Amino acid sequence: MIAALPMYDRPENRAAHDALWALIRDGLRARGICAPEALDRSLPHDAGWGRPDLVLGQICNLPWRAQFRGRVTRIAVADYGLPDTPPGHYHSVMVTRAGEALPPRPRLAINDPMSCSGWDAPQEWLLREGVQIGAVLVTGSHAASVRALAEGRADLAGIDAVTWGMLRRWEPAAASLTVIGRTTATPGMTFIAAGQVDPLPRRAAIAEALDALPADHRATLGLQAVVDLPESAYDRPLPPPPEAVAATVVARGPVSAPVLRQRKGAP
């Protein structure tokens, strides 16, 4: 059996995530649910979602909609208390290099084609602002997208607002970027478990753990509460694949979607 909370896990907040998991683990065991001693960090962030022994995991709403709806149990949605954002929701900030005008056909850096914050949610912003993408650079992570912008390899990126807050604290490249917009809010990171189980005991264990988490760890994570959203809150069309929008290049690092090759003649 495994448990993983990979979506916002970084070296700087690892101790806080471990402390949160220890409290959740004990709460699960007190409710008769077997739980592993420690979080699993050996797997890619998306490898645990389909595991039949997943006790507790975290998933972005796009892969849940596209691949895991009906296959896993939604437990609750993480609420990070983002300003002007409904409980249990998040949004992306659209960022570019500070002091530079956005080119007519900017290169968009995305963490993963199966990311709501990096690919799906920005589609509405691009349409609303009349921005036509010239190329898509798949970087493998939001941090890598930020570095791609700072290094001049891309011009624009949609960054999960929770991640953006962490990158501003811990990623030097973020200092050279500026926010030029934000996307529509969508359901945030969702706690899940394998198969079809009763979500209530797990939801209660998470809420209880948050209440007991020391203040310094809670401040590091920024996690305010867990919210029970209706399944209908996730209902939104799936986005087109990047290669249907613009020439696509995989920069480096793993991505959830199949490897996308640069089209002939692409910049």
Side-chain angles (χ1 to χ4, degrees):
M1 60 182 172
I2 67 165
L5 302 176
M7 304 308 285
Y8 296 132
D9 196 38
R10 291 178 54 95
E12 298 90 346
N13 61 26
R14 179 171 184 163
H17 274 125
D18 286 341
L20 175 62
W21 170 247
L23 292 167
I24 295 174
R25 176 200 65 207
D26 293 347
L28 293 175
R29 291 175 177 176
R31 291 167 171 82
I33 299 172
C34 293
E37 188 68 19
L39 293 171
D40 190 310
R41 292 186 172 93
S42 66
L43 299 172
H45 73 275
D46 53 353
W49 298 337
R51 288 271 297 249
D53 58 348
L54 180 65
V55 176
L56 190 70
Q58 252 181 339
I59 194 170
C60 169
N61 77 64
L62 176 55
W64 182 82
R65 285 183 280 133
Q67 300 172 341
F68 289 93
R69 195 169 197 156
R71 294 176 54 193
V72 297
T73 297
R74 290 185 307 113
I75 305 302
V77 185
D79 180 49
Y80 286 84
L82 294 173
D84 303 316
T85 304
H89 290 66
Y90 75 156
H91 62 271
S92 299
V93 291
M94 302 301 297
V95 299
T96 188
R97 282 182 297 281
E100 296 185 19
L102 201 64
R105 292 177 61 88
R107 299 162 295 171
L108 179 70
I110 70 171
N111 55 325
D112 193 316
M114 198 50 68
S115 168
C116 181
S117 58
W119 175 245
D120 184 14
Q123 300 303 306
E124 293 177 350
W125 184 90
L126 294 168
L127 182 63
R128 184 169 68 244
E129 299 298 322
V131 177
Q132 187 173 3
I133 293 301
V136 175
L137 179 72
V138 183
T139 65
S141 72
H142 280 309
S145 293
V146 163
R147 290 191 290 270
L149 264 66
E151 295 165 5
R153 293 182 288 114
D155 308 302
L156 180 68
I159 308 295
D160 170 350
V162 178
T163 300
W164 178 243
M166 295 190 295
L167 294 177
R168 290 176 65 193
R169 294 169 65 186
W170 299 320
E171 174 56 60
S176 65
L177 307 184
T178 189
V179 174
I180 60 172
R182 57 177 281 178
T183 68
T184 301
T186 61
M189 294 301 165
T190 301
F191 293 101
I192 59 170
Q196 302 302 310
V197 298
D198 182 359
L200 295 181
R202 286 172 170 81
R203 188 182 306 151
I206 299 170
E208 183 180 272
L210 280 175
D211 287 341
L213 191 65
D216 58 337
H217 288 323
R218 189 158 184 165
T220 296
L221 295 179
L223 181 56
Q224 303 295 307
V226 288
V227 177
D228 179 23
L229 293 181
E231 186 167 320
S232 60
Y234 294 76
D235 290 341
R236 54 185 279 126
L238 297 179
E243 67 268 32
V245 176
T248 305
V249 181
V250 174
R252 55 182 177 269
V255 294
S256 298
V259 172
L260 303 172
R261 303 296 183 186
Q262 183 176 358
R263 291 207 306 250
K264 182 178 181 181

